[in-house]
């Protein structure tokens, strides 16, 4: 089984060939659509047995439209929501032009594929207002080897995957949402424990992907890292027991944005408290939720991870009369509240003002003006 992580800049596209069958999971954005088609042609692809659209954002879907017109497609698997875009209309038109109907298989559904199989991991639920959260995630298995692709799924979807009872352990994980801090939670990493992570993102992308939080987690778990932004297209071959790569991992754990300070210490605490049940707002699924966290494992990784990142913030507790401010994973300003402007409160972390200053943050003009 040959898995190609195509370099489509800021986007995602994965080609899988096995036992004469072909799968494409996402097709990258418009700008790389013709590259994807010609790449597949160079691999002698004529038929795509499974064309999987994780979700309908253009950086994942645009290139699939090109594939639908260039190749004979047998099955289209996609997420069960509608997207308000011309591109989405083009996609459903291209599917119809092939005489196909989109399939939205339920979590747990298995398909045989080549010398192996794949199983649907997500989405368990649909949020009509949040494209990323609806991403179709799959676990691809070949003998003892397995790969997990989650599109732009975020930590809420990861929690649902953990709660599904499906074995998530894998050799290769593509961290969700191009390595954004909204994905790749500790619980999910603890459940997947990959040996390798392949990050698909664009060089110097405007989103700062991958996030320092994610890279810190990967580094602290000694997960080997490949990155399309630095290494171009990456190819892995599984013979059922061993995975062989076309190049060495770069193991570059630096975030996309140099100023990204991460929030790991804070985050570990937050996630700890949420797994102990404080975070019940989400619907009455508390039983499955505690199953997800059944993971005493989930908390033990947090414990092992915490000491590795204690360094500076350690002494904040002893300086309790200090002025406290809020920072975010990617911002360069500090705020006097955790929901200033577009700041997401769940991603903000509180540190002392002097600590913020010393780390190079500047006061937000809105809060401190
Ligand atoms: Zn994306
Ligand atoms: Zn997206």
């Amino acid at each position: 089984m040959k898995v190609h992580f195509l370099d489509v800049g800021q986007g995602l596209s994965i080609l899988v060939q096995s036992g004469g069958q072909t799968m494409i999971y996402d097709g990258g954005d418009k700008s790389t659509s013709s590259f994807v088609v010609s790449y597949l042609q160079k691999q002698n692809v004529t038929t795509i047995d499974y064309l999987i659209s994780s979700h309908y954002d253009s950086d994942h879907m645009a290139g699939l439209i090109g594939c639908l017109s260039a190749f004979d497609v047998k099955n289209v698997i996609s997420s069960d929501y509608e997207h308000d875009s011309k591109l989405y209309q083009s996609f459903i038109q291209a599917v119809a032009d092939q005489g196909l109907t989109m399939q939205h298989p339920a979590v747990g559904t298995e398909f045989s594929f080549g010398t192996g199989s794949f199983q649907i991991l997500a989405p368990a639920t649909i949020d009509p207002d949040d494209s990323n959260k609806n991403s179709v995630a799959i676990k691809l298995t070949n003998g003892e080897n397995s790969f997990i692709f989650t599109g732009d799924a975020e930590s809420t979807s990861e929690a649902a995957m953990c709660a599904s009872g499906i074995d998530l352990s894998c050799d290769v994980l593509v961290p969700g949402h191009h390595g954004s801090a909204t994905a790749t939670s500790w619980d999910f990493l603890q459940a997947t424990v990959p040996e390798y992570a392949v990050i698909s993102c664009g060089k110097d992308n405007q989103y700062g992907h991958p996030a320092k939080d994610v890279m810190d987690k990967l580094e602290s778990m000694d997960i080997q890292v490949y990155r399309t932004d630095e290494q171009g297209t990456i190819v892995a071959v599984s013979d059922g027991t061993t995975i062989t790569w076309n190049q060495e991992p770069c193991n570059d754990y630096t975030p996309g944005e140099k100023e990204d300070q991460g929030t790991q210490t804070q985050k570990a605490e937050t996630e700890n408290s949420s797994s102990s049940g404080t975070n019940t707002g989400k619907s009455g699924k508390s039983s499955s939720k505690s199953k997800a966290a059944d993971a005493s494992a989930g908390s033990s990784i947090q414990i092992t991870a915490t000491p590795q990142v204690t360094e500076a913030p350690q002494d904040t507790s002893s300086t309790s009369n200090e002025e406290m401010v809020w920072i975010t994973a990617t911002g360069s300003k500090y705020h006097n509240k955790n929901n200033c402007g577009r700041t997401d409160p769940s991603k903000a972390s509180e540190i002392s003002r002097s600590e913020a200053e010393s780390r190079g943050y500047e006061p937000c003009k809105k809060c401190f003006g």
Side-chain angles (χ1 to χ4, degrees):
M1 181 177 286
K2 201 170 184 183
V3 183
H4 311 246
F5 302 90
L6 276 65
D7 177 14
V8 290
Q10 184 64 18
L12 179 67
S13 182
I14 303 167
L15 166 69
V16 188
Q17 296 171 291
S18 177
Q21 290 203 296
T22 300
M23 168 198 294
I24 185 151
Y25 179 96
D26 286 346
D29 218 328
K30 270 183 217 157
S31 54
T32 52
S33 177
S34 56
F35 159 72
V36 170
V37 168
S38 68
Y39 187 94
L40 266 59
Q41 285 164 342
K42 277 189 201 126
Q43 309 303 317
N44 299 317
V45 170
T46 51
T47 300
I48 296 174
D49 298 278
Y50 293 97
L51 180 145
I52 305 179
S53 163
S54 69
H55 67 302
Y56 304 123
D57 285 348
S58 82
D59 59 317
H60 298 252
M61 188 192 52
L64 293 178
I65 299 171
C67 291
L68 277 159
S69 55
F71 304 102
D72 179 21
V73 177
K74 301 269 191 237
N75 295 282
V76 175
I77 292 176
S78 66
S79 188
D80 193 7
Y81 71 107
E82 288 176 10
H83 200 240
D84 181 22
S85 67
K86 279 200 179 121
L87 204 66
Y88 172 71
Q89 294 304 328
S90 314
F91 179 70
I92 55 174
Q93 188 58 52
V95 172
D97 288 348
Q98 286 246 8
L100 297 167
T101 312
M102 295 193 277
Q103 304 168 41
H104 312 301
V107 169
T109 310
E110 277 190 87
F111 296 83
S112 73
F113 172 72
T115 56
S117 63
F118 68 94
Q119 186 173 27
I120 306 294
L121 304 179
T125 52
I126 293 292
D127 179 345
D129 301 319
D130 193 322
S131 201
N132 291 341
K133 283 184 184 160
N134 299 332
S135 292
V136 175
I138 66 164
K139 177 173 174 175
L140 174 70
T141 302
N142 184 51
E144 291 168 20
N145 298 137
S146 54
F147 302 75
I148 290 183
F149 313 144
T150 64
D152 280 350
E154 300 186 342
S155 47
T156 47
S157 179
E158 292 175 348
M161 290 185 242
C162 291
S164 71
I166 296 172
D167 173 18
L168 298 177
S169 61
C170 65
D171 299 299
V172 181
L173 173 70
V174 177
H177 200 186
H178 321 285
S180 156
T182 56
T184 316
S185 61
W186 277 122
D187 284 347
F188 194 62
L189 274 180
Q190 182 60 24
T192 52
V193 277
E195 189 176 350
Y196 303 98
V198 180
I199 294 171
S200 184
C201 66
K203 212 173 183 57
D204 303 322
N205 67 80
Q206 65 187 102
Y207 309 101
H209 296 155
K212 181 165 183 355
D213 276 345
V214 170
M215 301 317 282
D216 283 351
K217 290 177 197 170
L218 298 178
E219 187 169 21
S220 71
M221 282 180 74
D222 280 327
I223 296 167
Q224 312 243 36
V225 164
Y226 285 96
R227 300 172 58 147
T228 61
D229 60 340
E230 297 183 8
Q231 302 178 276
T233 294
I234 295 150
V235 182
V237 177
S238 155
D239 66 5
T241 44
T242 312
I243 297 175
T244 316
W245 300 80
N246 72 338
Q247 53 188 305
E248 293 295 312
C250 67
N251 292 336
D252 180 357
Y253 298 94
T254 54
E257 189 178 317
K258 303 289 165 285
E259 286 176 22
D260 185 348
Q261 306 286 324
T263 57
Q264 202 180 106
T265 310
Q266 189 72 28
K267 199 150 191 177
E269 286 165 14
T270 317
E271 289 188 3
N272 239 339
S273 62
S274 74
S275 55
S276 57
T278 1
N279 181 12
T280 48
K282 280 282 162 191
S283 79
K285 281 195 182 167
S286 54
S287 61
S288 60
K289 186 134 204 168
S290 55
K291 218 184 218 168
D294 102 328
S296 46
S299 34
S300 71
I301 184 70
Q302 284 154 4
I303 289 157
T304 55
T306 309
Q308 297 177 1
V309 287
T310 40
E311 309 137 56
Q314 227 3 344
D315 55 5
T316 45
S317 55
S318 60
T319 56
S320 54
N321 52 357
E322 256 207 88
E323 185 184 357
M324 299 301 284
V325 297
W326 293 88
I327 58 168
T328 62
T330 52
S332 58
K333 305 278 191 273
Y334 61 77
H335 310 268
N336 69 5
K337 53 185 177 189
N338 67 355
N339 58 352
C340 174
R342 303 195 53 182
T343 307
D344 177 347
S346 70
K347 284 171 205 121
S349 53
E350 199 171 24
I351 61 171
S352 73
R353 184 167 182 169
S354 57
E355 170 70 17
E357 304 253 6
S358 74
R359 289 209 228 155
Y361 287 88
E362 286 173 7
C364 164
K365 290 211 175 72
K366 257 188 263 169
C367 306
F368 292 97

